[in-house]
């Protein structure tokens, strides 16, 4: 009968054959693998510990930043104050950081023949004025866009909630894009009143060679007030509204829509993603929205630069616009568009990232989606 089990002699023979033999020089040394894998595992564990520690420190800082009286509620006075400060940081810092781009863009809008390219412009400015020259206009930019950002983001959050409550939950959900457009237009109207004086100083400082306001932003304000009065600081308000209101309507409505589309196509819900992932979504959506903003608002941006640089004291607004358009034509309204696309795309992406990160830091959700109806926030 055939046996289906090995004999006792066969088992003993196999055990004797399994004696350890050292590896040859051409074979890997398995005893080294254990140490290597141990080092990798230790590094992974340390990285996880550091990441967890960093998150704990962030959460502690966020808790300390909140009022000691209790949790900050959505759509409360503290919430709008936090959004206002977040907007100040987001717009002031980013606009000041891209002053060299803005300088070249403004000068090429004022005089299209001044430079042959952006690189040639920066080289020429650096040779003539040094690093300080490349950052001409940074102080009115920082002050003006800090004020504008505070008004824009703070009032946007307020108007978005207010208009949603007025419309009702169902209408707000059905017409949320219209809600974003109305809220952003209202916010930007007020924000431009805060921006306009500083924008007038910035454009003249950047568009005039040499800079007539070497003493800085306050020196520029004093000179304009002395020569032209308060009207001199606001002579660009109409084209500024014409540039900024469509720009902001596109910025907020397209951002909210793109964020919603991105999360709809990503696996899981928005709440499932980490804070870093949510701010990455904010940057990506903001950059795409910025490209659209740049195209929509560019003709008005050129006109703002021209009016602040070339409008004569007392010249009627309509006459000045007609004269400038006659000089530059339709094509001239698009001077500097490529560099503005890069500048505005980067600016808008960074602004939304900073703003949403600050909201997370303060314990609020990132931007995206219509405000919930009033009864849900009681």
């Amino acid at each position: 009968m055939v046996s289906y089990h090995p004999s006792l002699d066969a088992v003993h023979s196999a055990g004797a054959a399994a004696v350890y033999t050292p590896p040859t020089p051409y074979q890997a040394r398995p005893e080294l693998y254990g140490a290597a894998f141990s080092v990798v595992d230790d590094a992974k564990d340390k990285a996880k510990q550091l990441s967890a520690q960093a998150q704990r420190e962030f959460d502690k800082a966020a808790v300390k930043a909140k009022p000691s009286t209790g949790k900050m509620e959505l759509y409360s006075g503290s919430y709008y104050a936090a959004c206002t400060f977040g907007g100040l940081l987001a717009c002031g810092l980013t606009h000041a950081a891209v002053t060299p781009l803005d300088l070249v863009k403004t000068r090429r809008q004022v005089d299209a023949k001044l430079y042959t390219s952006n690189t040639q412009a920066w080289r020429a400015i650096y040779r003539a004025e040094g690093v300080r020259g490349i950052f001409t206009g940074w102080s009115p930019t920082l002050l003006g866009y800090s004020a504008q950002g505070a008004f824009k983001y703070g009032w946007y959050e307020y108007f978005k909630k207010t208009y949603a409550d007025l419309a009702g939950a169902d209408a707000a959900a059905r017409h949320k894009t219209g809600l974003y457009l109305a809220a952003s237009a209202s916010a930007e109207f007020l924000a431009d009143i805060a921006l306009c004086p500083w924008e007038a100083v910035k454009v003249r400082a950047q568009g005039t060679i040499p800079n007539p306001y070497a003493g800085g932003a306050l020196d520029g304000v004093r000179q304009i007030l002395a020569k032209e009065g308060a009207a001199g600081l606001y002579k660009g308000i109409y084209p500024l509204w014409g540039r900024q209101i469509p720009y902001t309507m596109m910025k907020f409505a397209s951002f909210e829509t793109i964020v919603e589309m991105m999360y709809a196509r990503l696996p899981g819900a928005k709440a499932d993603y980490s804070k870093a992932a949510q701010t990455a979504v904010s940057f990506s959506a903001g950059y795409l929205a910025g490209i659209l903003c740049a195209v929509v608002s560019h003709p008005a941006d050129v006109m703002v630069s021209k009016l602040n640089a070339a409008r004569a004291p007392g010249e009627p607004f309509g006459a000045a616009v007609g004269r400038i358009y006659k000089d530059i034509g339709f094509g001239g309204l698009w001077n500097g568009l490529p560099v503005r696309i890069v500048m505005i795309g980067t600016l808008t992406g960074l602004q939304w990232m900073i703003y949403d990160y600050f909201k997370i830091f303060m314990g609020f959700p990132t931007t995206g989606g219509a405000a919930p109806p009033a009864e849900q926030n009681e």
Side-chain angles (χ1 to χ4, degrees):
M1 181 176 179
V2 178
S3 175
Y4 292 98
H5 300 281
S7 65
L8 188 61
D9 293 338
V11 170
H12 285 303
S13 299
V19 177
Y20 171 77
T21 57
T24 68
Y26 301 102
Q27 290 178 308
R29 297 176 61 186
E31 68 269 19
L32 296 180
Y33 288 154
F37 288 140
S38 177
V39 170
V40 173
D41 291 337
D42 289 345
K44 288 181 179 178
D45 292 339
K46 289 179 180 178
K48 290 179 181 177
Q49 292 171 6
L50 289 173
S51 177
Q53 183 179 0
Q55 186 62 53
R56 286 194 297 271
E57 293 298 325
F58 178 88
D59 293 337
K60 287 179 183 177
V63 169
K64 290 180 181 178
K66 297 176 186 177
S68 58
T69 55
K71 182 180 178 182
M72 294 173 66
E73 297 293 334
L74 281 173
Y75 313 117
S76 64
S78 298
Y79 171 76
Y80 293 124
C83 293
T84 298
F85 187 72
L88 182 151
L89 292 176
C91 291
L93 296 176
T94 52
H95 275 277
V98 297
T99 297
L101 274 172
D102 193 31
L103 170 65
V104 172
K105 183 266 298 180
T106 300
R107 288 187 176 178
R108 296 188 76 179
Q109 287 175 344
V110 173
D111 184 357
K113 299 178 181 178
L114 184 60
Y115 305 117
T116 57
S117 68
N118 296 332
T119 303
Q120 185 268 331
W122 287 315
R123 287 175 180 170
I125 296 168
Y126 179 76
R127 285 196 298 268
E129 306 171 57
V131 174
R132 183 176 181 180
I134 292 176
F135 281 89
T136 297
W138 73 268
S139 57
T141 297
L142 178 63
L143 293 171
Y145 283 93
S146 293
Q148 186 229 27
F151 275 61
K152 175 160 57 180
Y153 281 87
W155 281 113
Y156 174 72
E157 297 284 358
Y158 173 80
F159 284 125
K160 184 170 73 166
K161 178 66 169 65
T162 300
Y163 293 164
D165 290 345
L166 290 173
D170 293 338
R174 287 198 310 270
H175 306 292
K176 56 188 174 184
T177 300
L179 181 72
Y180 304 147
L181 292 171
S184 57
S186 302
E188 188 59 43
F189 179 85
L190 298 175
D192 289 343
I193 296 174
L195 169 64
C196 194
W198 307 107
E199 182 75 358
V201 175
K202 177 189 80 73
V203 170
R204 296 188 194 192
Q206 293 180 336
T208 307
I209 303 174
N211 176 11
Y213 310 132
L218 296 179
D219 177 46
V221 171
R222 283 193 294 267
Q223 288 192 43
I224 294 174
L225 286 174
K227 294 178 182 178
E228 306 172 43
L233 293 173
Y234 281 94
K235 71 180 185 180
I237 187 66
Y238 296 119
L240 188 63
W241 276 329
R243 179 190 79 183
Q244 288 297 128
I245 290 177
Y247 167 92
T248 300
M249 292 170 71
M250 179 65 74
K251 173 180 179 176
F252 282 83
S254 61
F255 173 81
E256 298 250 21
T257 302
I258 292 169
V259 166
E260 184 177 344
M261 292 172 63
M262 290 178 72
Y263 281 118
R265 285 160 176 75
L266 289 171
K270 175 182 174 179
D272 297 333
Y273 290 89
S274 67
K275 294 166 184 173
Q278 290 188 34
T279 52
V281 169
S282 297
F283 176 81
S284 302
Y287 198 98
L288 294 174
I291 295 173
L292 300 175
C293 293
V295 176
V296 166
S297 63
H298 192 72
D301 184 63
V302 173
M303 193 59 69
V304 168
S305 298
K306 290 285 189 181
L307 284 168
N308 278 296
R311 184 181 177 186
E315 183 180 14
F317 172 74
V321 170
R323 174 178 57 80
I324 291 170
Y325 184 78
K326 185 178 179 181
D327 290 340
I328 65 175
F330 181 77
L333 292 174
W334 302 98
N335 284 338
L337 178 60
V339 68
R340 191 160 182 266
I341 285 176
V342 174
M343 185 183 82
I344 297 300
T346 305
L347 270 177
T348 308
L350 290 174
Q351 284 170 8
W352 279 115
M353 184 180 73
I354 293 170
Y355 179 68
D356 275 346
Y357 195 84
F358 184 78
K359 287 178 75 175
I360 291 173
F361 179 78
M362 297 302 295
F364 300 121
T366 58
T367 309
E375 60 268 23
Q376 291 183 5
N377 295 296
E378 295 177 354

